[in-house]
């Protein structure tokens, strides 16, 4: 453990909708290149926490830092918008339902943001799209529309779209939950590849097997708190908390059923 | 006295010229109403209240008063405060703004119907709200709303006849002029009705092509 500042630092994160507290004082530190999985039952706040990191669901209390920059800074509206747009360029996000832009071809899905925000020329943007799509194995479909792709292919394009902004962190919000079982593996492979390249990743997932094989650390969340965290072999094989044990038992039973 | 269609050929060139003016006005007003409609919709949904309210009043006035009156006001009224608008321009602006307000209602509904995940995905890439609207939300909203907008455009073609009252020599006015010298109202009104119908068919054909192209990219 170094005394260096963590790459991502979430301090006392709180979030409530009215009287409902979804996040109750969450602390999470992630080092550069670390891969953290967040597991837990639905409604535990895991997606909310992930979405708070790039301010899609702003916190009602606490701080989130990326390197030496505070993400949820207190700024006047206009300045805050400029700030958050810059921050978001450094944070890639992948959604459960892909959210590809259906009116744009695969190529344009990937080139849109780099062209608009980084001023890339058509040629540069195309080269970038080809590079990223090759990486996720989707180069052959570069001139297809999203509606012509399978779920797994869509998700791989969505990953390429996020990677094209050269983010420092990738957030995955149940990236494989909406996929048919036979399509999960192709997306997992891409994520594993990113892990091998030491991309910093925070992964909200229901795939315990995948989390165990890829992640450095696992957080178990329930009812807005981190109940337990540790290396995957401990969380999955030897959880201390009864709530973690129950969740994993139920989850396993659900998978076998 | 019986019908005599033999007077038509002599005045056909006037009437056809009128048809061209009708097409020009419809096209101009359609463009104004399309982009104006998108602009009004975005303002209604996303602008700061200080901006939103004046536009709301404006929309309400355009929806709540007769188009005929609006044309009179733009053409005859604005001159008094030193704004002299040529009749053709007044017609395009009047018709265009009137239908922009109607189109805006359609655009608002279709913008709201675009999946929330779309704007989220655009914002997480770093696009501002305006950029996300322009490049991601509005193009999809427009795509979904083309058929009802098309219906509005056909209504616009028909309402373009009103522009005759401010002296634009479009189809209806040119028919009236021909009638003035021949006293043959039935013949010329039937002719003009047929021409409106043909333009209408042309517009529908174009619309169907646009819809097919949109469908192909869905």
């Amino acid at each position: 453990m170094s005394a260096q500042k963590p790459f991502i630092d979430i301090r006392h994160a709180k979030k409530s909708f009215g009287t409902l507290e979804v996040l109750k004082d969450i602390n999470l530190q992630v080092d550069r290149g670390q891969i953290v999985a967040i597991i837990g039952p639905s409604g535990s706040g895991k997606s909310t926490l992930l979405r708070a990191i790039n301010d899609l669901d702003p916190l009602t209390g606490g701080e989130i830092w990326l390197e030496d920059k505070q993400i949820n800074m207190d700024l006047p509206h206009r300045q805050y918008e400029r700030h958050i747009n810059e921050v978001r360029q450094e944070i890639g996000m992948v959604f459960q339902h892909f959210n590809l832009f259906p009116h744009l071809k695969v190529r344009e899905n990937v080139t849109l943001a780099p062209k608009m925000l980084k001023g890339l020329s058509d040629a540069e943007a195309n080269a970038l799209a080809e590079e990223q799509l090759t990486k996720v194995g989707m180069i052959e479909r570069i001139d297809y529309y999203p509606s012509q792709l399978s779920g797994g292919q869509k998700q791989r394009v969505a990953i390429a779209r996020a990677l094209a902004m050269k983010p420092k962190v990738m957030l995955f919000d149940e990236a494989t939950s909406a996929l048919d079982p036979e399509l999960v593996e192709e997306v997992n492979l891409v994520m594993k590849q990113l892990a091998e390249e030491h991309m910093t990743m925070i992964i909200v997932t229901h795939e315990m097997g995948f989390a165990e094989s890829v992640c450095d650390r696992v957080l178990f969340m329930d009812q807005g708190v981190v109940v337990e965290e540790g290396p995957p072999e401990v969380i999955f094989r030897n959880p201390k908390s009864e709530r973690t044990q129950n969740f994993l038992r139920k989850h396993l039973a659900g998978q076998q059923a | 006295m019986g019908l005599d269609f033999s007077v038509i050929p002599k005045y056909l060139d006037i009437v056809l010229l009128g048809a061209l003016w009708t097409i020009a006005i419809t096209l101009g007003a359609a463009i104004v109403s399309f982009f104006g409609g998108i602009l009004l919709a975005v303002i209604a949904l996303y602008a700061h209240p200080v901006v939103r309210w004046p536009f709301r009043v404006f929309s309400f006035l355009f929806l709540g008063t007769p188009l005929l009156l609006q044309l009179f006001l733009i053409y005859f009224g604005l001159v008094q405060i030193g704004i002299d608008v040529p009749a053709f321009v007044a017609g395009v602006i009047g018709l265009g703004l009137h239908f922009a307000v109607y189109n805006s209602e359609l655009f608002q509904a279709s913008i709201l119907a675009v999946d929330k995940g779309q704007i989220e995905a655009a914002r997480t890439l770093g696009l501002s709200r305006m950029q996300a609207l322009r490049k991601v939300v509005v193009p999809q909203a427009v795509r979904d709303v083309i058929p009802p907008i098309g219906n509005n455009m056909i209504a616009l073609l028909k309402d373009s006849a009103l522009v005759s009252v401010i002296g634009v020599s479009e189809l209806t006015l040119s028919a009236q002029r021909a009638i003035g010298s021949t006293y043959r109202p039935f013949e010329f009104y039937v002719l003009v009705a047929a021409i409106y119908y043909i333009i209408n068919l042309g517009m529908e054909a174009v619309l169907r092509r646009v819809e097919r192209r949109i469908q192909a990219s869905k």
Side-chain angles (χ1 to χ4, degrees), chain B residues 210-218:
Chain B
V210 173
E211 278 170 40
R212 257 207 308 278
R213 277 189 62 173
I214 290 166
Q215 217 54 46
S217 72
K218 261 190 181 172

Side-chain angles (χ1 to χ4, degrees), chain A residues 51 54 56 81 84-85 88-89 91 93 95 99-103 112-113 116-117 145 147 161-162 165, chain B residues 115-118 120-129 131 134-137 139-140 143 216-218:
Chain A
R51 290 163 57 88
N54 63 10
L56 276 185
E81 283 294 304
I84 199 68
N85 292 338
R88 280 173 176 157
Q89 293 188 32
I91 306 175
M93 177 136 187
F95 299 87
N99 296 349
L100 289 183
F101 308 132
H103 61 301
L112 177 73
M116 285 188 89
L117 304 174
Y145 280 100
S147 60
R161 175 176 70 177
M165 289 303 287
Chain B
D115 181 44
K116 218 175 77 178
Q118 290 291 310
E120 281 186 356
R123 297 299 309 269
T124 51
L125 289 167
L127 270 67
S128 71
R129 188 204 279 277
Q131 289 172 322
R134 196 154 51 87
K135 289 289 186 178
V136 174
V137 177
Q140 291 181 58
R143 204 178 65 160
S217 72
K218 261 190 181 172

Side-chain angles (χ1 to χ4, degrees), chain A:
Chain A
M1 287 286 137
S2 65
Q4 219 187 344
K5 270 186 69 153
F7 197 54
I8 300 169
D9 192 359
I10 302 177
R11 300 178 197 156
H12 305 292
K14 293 187 191 78
K15 168 92 182 169
S16 37
F17 297 103
T19 53
L20 179 74
E21 274 188 284
V22 215
L23 300 176
K24 303 166 188 165
D25 197 22
I26 306 265
N27 291 284
L28 170 64
Q29 282 75 41
V30 181
D31 292 328
R32 187 194 287 272
Q34 243 190 359
I35 300 162
V36 175
I38 308 178
I39 62 169
S42 55
S44 59
K46 56 192 192 307
S47 275
T48 310
L49 178 64
L50 195 75
R51 290 163 57 88
I53 294 174
N54 63 10
D55 205 51
L56 276 185
D57 280 340
L59 292 178
T60 40
E63 294 177 0
I64 301 182
W65 292 74
L66 173 63
E67 290 184 294
D68 48 3
K69 230 187 292 179
Q70 188 179 350
I71 295 176
N72 60 340
M73 259 201 287
D74 194 15
L75 285 172
H77 177 72
R78 218 172 263 259
Q79 272 163 277
Y80 185 73
E81 283 294 304
R82 209 172 309 140
H83 156 78
I84 199 68
N85 292 338
E86 271 169 33
V87 169
R88 280 173 176 157
Q89 293 188 32
E90 305 188 322
I91 306 175
M93 177 136 187
V94 176
F95 299 87
Q96 183 178 359
H97 295 290
F98 332 122
N99 296 349
L100 289 183
F101 308 132
H103 61 301
L104 300 178
K105 290 181 176 175
V106 165
R107 176 197 304 276
E108 298 160 329
N109 264 276
V110 180
T111 58
L112 177 73
K115 266 160 84 171
M116 285 188 89
L117 304 174
K118 296 192 166 170
L120 263 58
S121 68
D122 285 353
E124 289 166 333
N126 274 329
L128 177 67
E130 280 159 23
E131 176 197 339
Q132 297 304 333
L133 289 166
T134 304
K135 191 165 168 177
V136 301
M138 286 299 296
I139 189 71
E140 268 100 56
R141 301 290 154 102
I142 190 163
D143 287 314
Y144 283 48
Y145 280 100
S147 60
Q148 297 167 301
L149 306 178
S150 74
Q153 292 174 329
K154 282 182 194 168
Q155 198 58 299
R156 287 188 281 150
V157 172
I159 294 172
R161 175 176 70 177
L163 291 176
M165 289 303 287
K166 311 275 180 198
K168 293 177 176 166
V169 192
M170 285 287 282
L171 309 176
F172 291 86
D173 192 3
E174 301 196 22
T176 55
S177 296
L179 297 177
D180 291 335
E182 73 271 20
L183 302 178
V184 168
E185 196 47 35
E186 62 186 67
V187 175
N188 281 349
L189 278 174
V190 171
M191 290 168 70
K192 272 188 188 145
Q193 192 186 326
L194 283 180
E196 280 156 19
E197 294 166 12
H198 306 291
M199 172 64 82
T200 311
M201 300 199 264
I202 303 180
I203 303 171
V204 167
T205 184
H206 289 294
E207 297 227 26
M208 305 307 159
F210 179 72
E212 186 166 0
S213 67
V214 173
C215 297
D216 304 307
R217 245 162 82 209
V218 178
L219 265 74
F220 171 66
M221 279 181 72
D222 192 15
Q223 295 177 4
V225 295
V226 177
V227 177
E228 192 169 349
E229 76 166 286
E233 57 273 17
V234 175
I235 299 290
F236 290 119
R237 310 277 160 210
N238 243 327
K240 286 191 242 17
S241 151
E242 203 175 315
R243 273 151 90 183
T244 317
Q245 291 164 13
N246 280 336
F247 170 75
L248 289 172
R249 197 178 317 120
K250 274 188 204 152
H251 192 83
L252 224 67
Q255 273 187 339
Q256 280 159 357

